[in-house]
Amino acid sequence: QLGPAYLAWFSSRGPTEDGRIKPDLLAPGSFLLSAGARPSMIGECDGSEIPSAGGKRDGLLSMEGTSMSTPVVSGSAALVRQYFEEGWHINGEKNEAEGINPSAALIKATLINGAQTSLIKGIDNEGGQVTKTEAYDGNIGFGIIQLATSVYVKGKAEVQIKTWDREVIDDGDTLTYQVTIDRSNGCVFESLSATLVWFERGASMGCTRCLINDLDLTITRDGDVNRTIYYPNGLDRPDNLNTVERVVVNNVFDGETFSLRVRATNLDE
């Protein structure tokens, strides 16, 4: 195998039948070490030798698949929940007085917002055969999970964050939020990333366009004489399929201000 920078050949693929982006996230899931408990033993501990790929030795087990990748994502989601509940999102330090109860949408948005596509070099088809991947395609979706680019912890993370949760919008309305790039306190990331996530009831069986509520996220750079509009999910237009929209603006500079706009194009509930 070529290593963690390549997608496993057996990994699940998208998109969905109606064209929505899947997978949402990638996580390490090939030949990881985990606990390999032996119920018949009392007081067992990890052995001195590492098991071979797919093998088991003493208290360790090497496996691959969703049995390994799912716990990575679940554990990361739990850490993000704790991050907000303990108030780390205010200034990168624990402050429980500022803690919030984050919605599931905010946790999902946080993980997707910091996920990276550039870290994936392609699909490992075994035998040295590699298939190219691209951001938002049916192979890697929004990218591999990266907490260092998802949340701000003072002295340890690469980004700073600003969040809005449980916002209310009416059909036809537009909400505008402003963000100013601040490279103090260790923010070294070169891009501005903004992600909108919402949940809705299940669509009808056999639907060919399954989105029920259409929200559109765009970004503009304040003072841009060209009035460039940045659209989500690698598109050059609004997205009318997905309930996850991520806009990335590259090469941003300290002190620049951006306007994030959410427009309710068509709400049904």
Side-chain angles (χ1 to χ4, degrees), residues 48-249:
S48 58
E49 297 185 29
I50 302 298
S52 59
K56 184 176 182 180
R57 182 183 292 274
D58 298 322
L60 295 176
L61 175 67
S62 173
M63 288 183 63
E64 59 184 355
T66 54
S67 295
M68 308 303 274
S69 60
T70 299
V72 174
V73 178
S74 299
S76 298
L79 288 173
V80 170
R81 171 170 285 282
Q82 180 181 0
Y83 176 86
F84 286 113
E85 288 180 339
E86 294 182 349
W88 292 81
H89 60 289
I90 301 299
N91 60 8
E93 297 178 313
K94 185 176 180 179
N95 183 359
E96 293 189 357
E98 297 288 346
I100 63 172
N101 177 27
S103 67
L106 177 57
I107 295 173
K108 181 177 179 179
T110 301
L111 292 175
I112 289 177
N113 195 58
Q116 301 298 305
T117 57
S118 61
L119 300 179
I120 305 299
K121 297 181 179 180
I123 303 170
D124 180 2
N125 295 308
E126 299 190 317
Q129 301 295 315
V130 176
T131 301
K132 183 181 178 180
T133 59
E134 295 182 355
Y136 312 110
D137 68 7
N139 299 302
I140 65 174
F142 295 93
I144 189 167
I145 197 168
Q146 292 283 301
L147 287 183
T149 53
S150 297
V151 297
Y152 172 55
V153 176
K154 195 171 184 178
K156 295 184 178 181
E158 301 175 14
V159 298
Q160 294 192 41
I161 68 170
K162 193 168 185 178
T163 62
W164 294 269
D165 196 15
R166 296 184 172 91
E167 297 289 287
V168 177
I169 189 171
D170 293 321
D171 193 24
D173 286 352
T174 298
L175 301 180
T176 302
Y177 309 89
Q178 287 196 316
V179 173
T180 299
I181 304 301
D182 179 5
R183 295 215 176 275
S184 64
N185 297 319
C187 179
V188 298
F189 208 63
E190 297 180 352
S191 303
L192 167 64
S193 179
T195 299
L196 170 68
V197 170
W198 67 98
F199 294 132
E200 56 188 28
R201 58 180 169 82
S204 301
M205 291 287 291
C207 58
T208 56
R209 185 182 179 278
C210 302
L211 188 69
I212 297 173
N213 300 287
D214 191 1
L215 301 175
D216 293 317
L217 173 65
T218 57
I219 294 181
T220 56
R221 181 186 265 112
D222 289 13
D224 179 11
V225 295
N226 296 319
R227 298 181 180 179
T228 302
I229 300 176
Y230 298 91
Y231 291 99
N233 302 343
L235 302 173
D236 58 2
R237 54 173 175 75
D239 185 321
N240 61 1
L241 288 177
N242 293 281
T243 58
V244 177
E245 298 193 1
R246 183 176 70 181
V247 180
V248 178
V249 181

Side-chain angles (χ1 to χ4, degrees), residues 1 30 39 115 134 269:
Q1 293 195 346
S30 184
E134 295 182 355
E269 61 181 11

